Amino acid sequence: DFDLSINDPDLIPLIMDAIDSRRGEQWAFKDILTTDRIDEIINDIINGTAVAVSGGSYKDNGGTASWIIENASGSQRIIGHVNVPGTVLDQSAYRSEIAGIYGSVAMIEIIKETLKLKKGSVIIGCDGKNALERAVLTTRHPLSCYQQHFDLLSGIQGYIRDSCINYKAKHIKGHQDEEKQIDELDRFAVLNIEVDFYAKQYWTKKYADMEKL
């Protein structure tokens, strides 16, 4: 069994080493940031109260995404950014949303595998309802190798189908800050606004120089 009290000082280095070993998935784990401790995130994955929210950005044939995984109270978090893979013709706002979901699920699976978790549950939130449902609701949306974005969707569903972690989809209405003040919004709405901002910020970091050409 996983003993948080013994392993906690080594949690973040352990997980970062595991991320580095995923050579084919580095696009999903850009500029990872964490709070000083993430032990409560691990506990809340096990207890079923952890949350993950992601958002995508698409502009000028380039896609990025960002994701946040938090413990139940929001006092601990892991943040990552996504360089959406594929050719220019593959890119779309929909693909960016799927790629963000991929990043959050892959991160949770890395935590599960690294720490040998035997059970858990996470709420996966996103404002892209179609992308969320097709990615996470595996029994409702069986895949065909001919459908768009099969590479990302099959990767997500492969993780989910074989996992002891239960992934629960939560659609979040987007851009709620255009209708209400931030302090009037619930946690998921605020997280959604945050990941959308980070995804756009990461897009600017990655593609701004190309815009000047």
Side-chain angles (χ1 to χ4, degrees):
D1 291 337
F2 176 53
D3 189 336
L4 286 171
S5 63
I6 293 174
N7 292 310
D8 182 61
D10 301 320
L11 278 180
I12 295 173
L14 264 177
I15 291 167
M16 296 305 288
D17 286 347
I19 290 170
D20 289 342
S21 72
R22 299 291 186 104
R23 295 301 177 192
E25 293 180 299
Q26 292 302 303
W27 55 268
F29 306 117
K30 298 296 184 181
D31 299 347
I32 300 291
L33 295 172
T34 77
T35 45
D36 291 338
R37 296 173 65 93
I38 59 169
D39 56 304
E40 290 183 17
I41 295 177
I42 312 302
N43 261 332
D44 289 347
I45 291 174
I46 296 168
N47 296 332
T49 55
V51 303
V53 175
S54 61
S57 181
Y58 170 74
K59 180 182 175 184
D60 297 340
N61 298 317
T64 57
S66 296
W67 49 263
I68 297 173
I69 301 169
E70 286 191 339
N71 63 329
S73 69
S75 62
Q76 295 183 1
R77 56 172 33 189
I78 305 169
I79 303 174
H81 308 292
V82 177
N83 177 16
V84 181
T87 68
V88 169
L89 295 177
D90 293 325
Q91 302 300 322
S92 67
Y94 179 61
R95 185 173 178 84
S96 292
E97 295 287 0
I98 295 170
I101 296 167
Y102 188 111
S104 60
V105 170
M107 183 74 251
I108 292 162
E109 289 298 306
I110 285 175
I111 291 170
K112 180 205 75 179
E113 293 168 15
T114 303
L115 304 176
K116 298 180 172 58
L117 304 185
K118 299 292 192 290
K119 65 173 184 175
S121 183
V122 181
I123 297 171
I124 300 289
C126 178
D127 65 9
K129 185 176 182 181
N130 192 27
L132 178 67
E133 291 183 350
R134 289 202 171 270
V136 178
L137 303 180
T138 57
T139 56
R140 189 183 302 177
H141 296 285
L143 291 176
S144 161
C145 61
Y146 298 107
Q147 73 187 78
Q148 281 190 312
H149 317 300
F150 174 79
D151 56 335
L152 300 184
L153 289 169
S154 63
I156 298 167
Q157 291 202 7
Y159 275 134
I160 290 174
R161 276 196 307 269
D162 298 334
S163 184
C164 64
I165 306 295
N166 178 33
Y167 291 91
K168 297 177 288 188
K170 180 177 178 61
H171 175 244
I172 305 166
K173 183 182 177 183
H175 309 292
Q176 293 187 49
D177 55 328
E178 295 176 0
E179 303 170 0
K180 297 180 180 179
Q181 297 297 314
I182 289 290
D183 59 6
E184 297 178 298
L185 301 178
D186 68 18
R187 177 190 186 184
F188 284 97
V190 173
L191 283 171
N192 183 69
I193 292 162
E194 191 173 358
V195 292
D196 280 352
F197 172 79
Y198 287 149
K200 289 180 175 66
Q201 190 178 57
Y202 188 66
W203 189 98
T204 300
K205 176 182 176 180
K206 180 172 172 54
Y207 291 106
D209 290 340
M210 295 176 63
E211 279 194 304
K212 296 173 186 175
L213 297 178

